[in-house]
Amino acid sequence: MTNNKKFYTVMQYDVIVIGSGPGGYVAAIRCAQLGLKTACIEKYSTFGGTCLNVGCIPSKALLDSSEHYHNAAHTFKTHGINLENLQVDFGQMVKRKDEVVAQTTGGITFLFKKNKITSYQGVGSFVDKNTIKVTKADGSEETITTKNVIIATGSKPSSLPFLKVDKQRIITSTEALNLPEVPKHLVLIGGGVIGLELGSVYARLGAKVSVVEFMDAIIPTMDRSLSKELQKVLQKQGIEFYLGHKVTGATSDGNEVTVTFDSPKGDKMELKADYCMVAVGRVAYTDGLGLENIGITVEERGKKITVDEHLETSVKGVYAIGDVVRGAMLAHKAEDEGTFVAELIAGQKPHINYNLIPGVVYTWPEVASVGYTEEQLKEKGVKYKTGSFPFKASGRARASMDIDGFVKVLADQATDEILGVHMIGPRAADMIAEAVVAMEFRASAEDVTRMSHAHPTFTEAIREACLAATENRAIHI
Ligand code: FAD
Ligand code: NAD
């Protein structure tokens, strides 16, 4: 006699998210909002991933504190404010940063409870595509089942093969956020986003900061006009740059670090410092996930998980988002992908415009960019026109003594559609949102010129740059 009865395994969850960074926690919250039974596994004791614990939030807390000090030391006098015995209490600065981190990660705990998301603390790994094992800190294990999995395991700092990061003197961004003292001399390997942000923190606090960058420009992937202007401003702030120089080694005797590098002409050079931070990019993190158990392989370079246009891996029902997949390693990109996959699983038809994900560098002045760079338009053979407006011509910028930088708008020569906006200046990180909105709605430069901008604000510079791109009609230059 045959038994025709079919047996179905009842899955505990509709979705299990592995990792609670901005990709993972946003995915989990959106899944829960859409009525999916959701769990999130995080190996650390706090939620929020790199971004909240050792990335965006603590770096911005230290950037804000160090900027206050820098202004008190350098610009208050001109404003008519005299301070005596100005001092940095670095311990308090780090403590405040830790409090900001604790409040922010605690906020995710609250949001998980509010949205009835079950959280598991431990390392999540695949047994099969529907079964995840959670290995807790005490070694105990629990197995949970699910219809869908979202991998959001993020990234970790990468290094150079010949370099030993000892985490004491030769450090990554993680240690740079928790140093016991302000370095006397900090050498940065890499003039990208992390190097320039954390380099700014310590330069403002009095450290000598030297940047050794392999390419011939800092922030080399952004519009070259931004690299040039930022370098000029940071040099004025005392940071020194060795561009086009190739690092060949870094060793520490416990107190002093020696960094060796070759000049573009091949001269052997060295710098001695008390700290050296390696900031040459990040690699995807998939250790311990057990991807091999479900037949997922990672890319040789960068260790990223391959996904299709729906962020689905080669295994149906297993998705991956954020730093662990292709594209910019940015918190808001991870968040957008978290929302995208949640909505896809719930049967919706979401969309992400990857070309309109803004990039920001939180130096002062801030650098922000969206859309195509001038170099990319040239390479694509697109006919474009440009309009620029310098902050030194802005009344608001003069009032606040923030006259470095400019806004540059690139628009299609024939249609006037805005193709790229690149700015360096005060509050550029917030102002870039106007450009993103305009470009999402496929505005022309002239459209922006016809919208009222409050006076006096920094945003008037965007309108002026659009005016400059529209038959050279800027009013204030
Ligand atoms: P992550 O934030 O890396 O989170 C992944 C999480 O998964 C981690 O908590 C990890 O513990 C967990 N995990 C990994 N494996 C497992 C496992 N097997 N089981 C359970 N849990 C696991 N981006 C910006 O947009 N703006 C900024 O200002 C900015 N500043 C930065 C400053 C610094 C110093 C650094 C280092 C990065 C910064 N970034 C910034 C980048 C940003 O932090 C990342 O792009 C973002 O955190 C990626 O999010 P994610 O969710 O993909 O991964
Ligand atoms: P990055 O890619 O921004 O910069 C790395 C730099 O190191 C590049 O300029 C590269 O040319 C240089 N480099 C590489 N090899 C080198 C070598 N051998 N010698 C000298 N220079 C070398 O990487 P990052 O600064 O480490 O940041 C990692 C990621 O974190 C970035 O992808 C970024 O998106 C993200 N992040 C974002 C923000 C932000 O949005 N504000 C802040 C910090 C970090």
Side-chain angles (χ1 to χ4, degrees):
M1 200 178 89
T2 52
N3 183 353
N4 286 329
K5 236 186 194 170
K6 282 187 181 162
F7 290 97
Y8 294 99
T9 312
V10 178
M11 301 292 174
Q12 285 167 273
Y13 295 102
D14 293 316
V15 183
I16 290 177
V17 183
I18 307 180
S20 73
Y25 83 73
V26 169
I29 292 173
R30 188 72 188 117
C31 283
Q33 283 176 343
L34 290 164
L36 299 165
K37 196 167 177 228
T38 307
C40 182
I41 308 170
E42 171 54 58
K43 69 174 180 168
Y44 287 125
S45 56
T46 54
F47 297 124
T50 304
C51 174
L52 273 59
N53 291 282
V54 290
C56 326
I57 299 301
S59 60
K60 266 81 251 178
L62 289 181
L63 276 157
D64 281 336
S65 297
S66 60
E67 194 190 322
H68 287 315
Y69 172 72
H70 180 84
N71 286 339
H74 298 282
T75 67
F76 274 21
K77 208 170 179 179
T78 319
H79 282 282
I81 304 164
N82 290 316
L83 289 174
E84 273 170 28
N85 298 325
L86 185 66
Q87 278 173 9
V88 174
D89 180 349
F90 187 59
Q92 167 59 22
M93 221 175 251
V94 172
K95 185 168 160 267
R96 189 197 79 93
K97 180 264 300 175
D98 290 339
E99 284 163 6
V100 173
V101 168
Q103 283 159 8
T104 316
T105 57
I108 308 299
T109 310
F110 164 80
L111 291 172
F112 275 7
K113 280 197 188 119
K114 182 184 157 203
N115 287 284
K116 302 194 172 42
I117 295 161
T118 310
S119 58
Y120 293 86
Q121 197 197 327
V123 175
S125 63
F126 285 93
V127 175
D128 60 48
K129 82 182 194 67
N130 299 107
T131 314
I132 306 292
K133 183 174 74 183
V134 184
T135 308
K136 300 176 188 177
D138 63 6
S140 64
E141 291 177 356
E142 187 173 352
T143 300
I144 48 180
T145 54
T146 181
K147 291 180 194 155
N148 300 282
V149 180
I150 303 176
I151 303 169
T153 48
S155 63
K156 63 172 186 182
S158 67
S159 185
L160 298 168
F162 49 83
L163 257 184
K164 188 179 176 303
V165 173
D166 64 15
K167 299 190 179 185
Q168 301 295 321
R169 295 282 164 186
I170 304 177
I171 58 176
T172 68
S173 57
T174 305
E175 295 76 46
L177 292 165
N178 277 306
L179 286 182
E181 60 189 343
V182 176
K184 288 180 199 61
H185 185 186
L186 172 65
V187 174
L188 304 175
I189 305 180
V193 199
I194 291 184
L196 299 181
E197 288 187 0
L198 293 176
S200 289
V201 167
Y202 289 111
R204 291 166 187 172
L205 297 179
K208 177 178 176 190
V209 173
S210 312
V211 178
V212 186
E213 164 61 52
F214 181 67
M215 303 286 281
D216 62 357
I218 55 170
I219 45 166
T221 54
M222 294 184 99
D223 194 279
R224 281 299 167 106
S225 61
L226 298 178
S227 325
K228 280 189 204 142
E229 179 74 4
L230 182 63
Q231 188 184 339
K232 214 167 71 190
V233 181
L234 293 180
Q235 271 166 341
K236 271 200 283 180
Q237 292 173 18
I239 300 183
E240 65 175 19
F241 294 94
Y242 295 87
L243 301 184
H245 286 66
K246 191 174 163 213
V247 172
T248 51
T251 50
S252 163
D253 66 5
N255 291 311
E256 191 180 56
V257 185
T258 306
V259 182
T260 52
F261 49 101
D262 293 344
S263 80
K265 287 184 189 149
D267 298 332
K268 304 277 173 220
M269 306 183 58
E270 72 170 38
L271 283 170
K272 290 196 183 293
D274 45 350
Y275 291 93
C276 164
M277 181 175 82
V278 185
V280 293
R282 295 176 63 85
V283 279
Y285 185 78
T286 55
D287 293 1
L289 258 184
L291 290 178
E292 61 286 357
N293 297 338
I294 55 166
I296 293 180
T297 51
V298 295
E299 291 165 14
E300 190 138 336
R301 214 167 159 259
K303 308 272 176 238
K304 296 207 172 203
I305 296 175
T306 306
V307 285
D308 65 13
E309 72 276 21
H310 296 122
L311 293 159
E312 197 167 23
T313 66
S314 53
V315 178
K316 205 169 160 29
V318 178
Y319 300 83
I321 59 169
D323 280 9
V324 82
V325 299
R326 81 282 184 275
M329 288 183 159
L330 295 173
H332 43 289
K333 179 259 194 186
E335 290 184 37
D336 292 351
E337 291 184 336
T339 301
F340 178 98
V341 169
E343 292 179 353
L344 196 85
I345 291 171
Q348 299 185 0
K349 291 190 168 56
H351 175 72
I352 296 175
N353 187 347
Y354 281 96
N355 188 41
L356 294 190
I357 292 176
V360 171
V361 188
Y362 293 82
T363 45
W364 194 267
E366 292 173 339
V367 183
S369 195
V370 65
Y372 293 108
T373 63
E374 204 162 342
E375 292 74 30
Q376 285 170 331
L377 292 179
K378 278 187 186 140
E379 204 181 298
K380 285 163 75 78
V382 175
K383 289 204 166 44
Y384 64 94
K385 50 187 184 165
T386 65
S388 287
F389 187 79
F391 280 102
K392 63 173 181 280
S394 147
R396 183 72 193 88
R398 272 199 303 275
S400 69
M401 277 178 66
D402 288 306
I403 54 169
D404 287 320
F406 57 83
V407 176
K408 179 167 100 174
V409 170
L410 305 170
D412 189 279
Q413 178 86 63
T415 66
D416 196 34
E417 179 176 349
I418 301 174
L419 302 174
V421 177
H422 308 282
M423 50 176 93
I424 169 165
R427 300 280 163 240
D430 295 292
M431 288 200 294
I432 199 68
E434 176 178 353
V436 177
V437 173
M439 290 172 73
E440 276 289 359
F441 286 95
R442 302 197 62 179
S444 65
E446 189 183 349
D447 287 335
V448 174
T449 70
R450 295 194 179 279
M451 294 172 196
S452 189
H453 286 67
H455 174 76
T457 57
F458 299 123
T459 64
E460 288 170 295
I462 300 176
R463 185 194 218 179
E464 289 274 6
C466 286
L467 279 166
T470 313
E471 294 158 9
N472 214 3
R473 280 176 42 206
I475 301 287
H476 293 92
I477 39 168

